Amino acid sequence: QVLLQESGGGLVQVGGSLRLSCERSGRTATGWFRQAPGKEREFVAAISWSGRNTYYSDSVKGRFIISRDSAKNTVYLEMNSLKPEDTAVYYCAAARSLAIGTIKDEYDVWGQGTQVTVSS
């Protein structure tokens, strides 16, 4: 059974940075999603099991970086130039396969979520 544990959320000012961590077991791709109040959960970024392939939503491309430390079984989401619209609960998820997916149904194990709040 795949286990996930996110950490690293918090309160940050506009333009600031945060790094989220997702310690996980299993050998599949990893994705980050987020959900703001009253909105659908949306794709943010994903990384393949090998770490060689990454993919980002247009809204975070150029500001967020997803990476993987295989020795620590941990996937990171470095978030830079944060905006108020980045405020959401961020979820780490384990994909059903080795390949990157951008759709929620492609992921079958989810973490409990971590709150990120960007204040203006």
Side-chain angles (χ1 to χ4, degrees):
Q1 181 179 358
V2 174
L3 300 176
L4 298 171
Q5 181 65 53
E6 304 112 329
S7 61
L11 175 65
V12 64
Q13 291 187 332
V14 169
S17 298
L18 278 176
R19 188 178 76 163
L20 305 182
S21 300
C22 174
E23 185 175 1
R24 59 158 294 179
S25 60
R27 299 171 64 86
T28 62
T30 304
W32 285 96
F33 289 74
R34 66 187 181 186
Q35 187 166 17
K39 294 188 176 181
E40 293 287 323
R41 191 170 298 188
E42 65 174 2
F43 170 78
V44 175
I47 188 166
S48 61
W49 167 248
S50 67
R52 287 194 292 266
N53 298 306
T54 59
Y55 191 78
Y56 300 89
S57 69
D58 288 343
S59 61
V60 307
K61 194 176 299 181
R63 298 188 298 122
F64 290 12
I65 301 171
I66 189 169
S67 62
R68 177 176 170 272
D69 185 333
S70 58
K72 297 182 178 179
N73 293 323
T74 301
V75 172
Y76 301 99
L77 184 68
E78 182 179 341
M79 306 184 296
N80 303 304
S81 302
L82 283 161
K83 306 174 181 180
E85 52 263 42
D86 294 318
T87 295
V89 177
Y90 283 70
Y91 296 90
C92 176
R96 299 177 189 276
S97 72
L98 300 175
I100 288 174
T102 62
I103 301 172
K104 289 181 290 184
D105 288 347
E106 295 176 287
Y107 295 81
D108 59 353
V109 181
W110 295 79
Q112 82 286 354
T114 184
Q115 177 70 47
V116 171
T117 302
V118 184
S119 65
S120 56

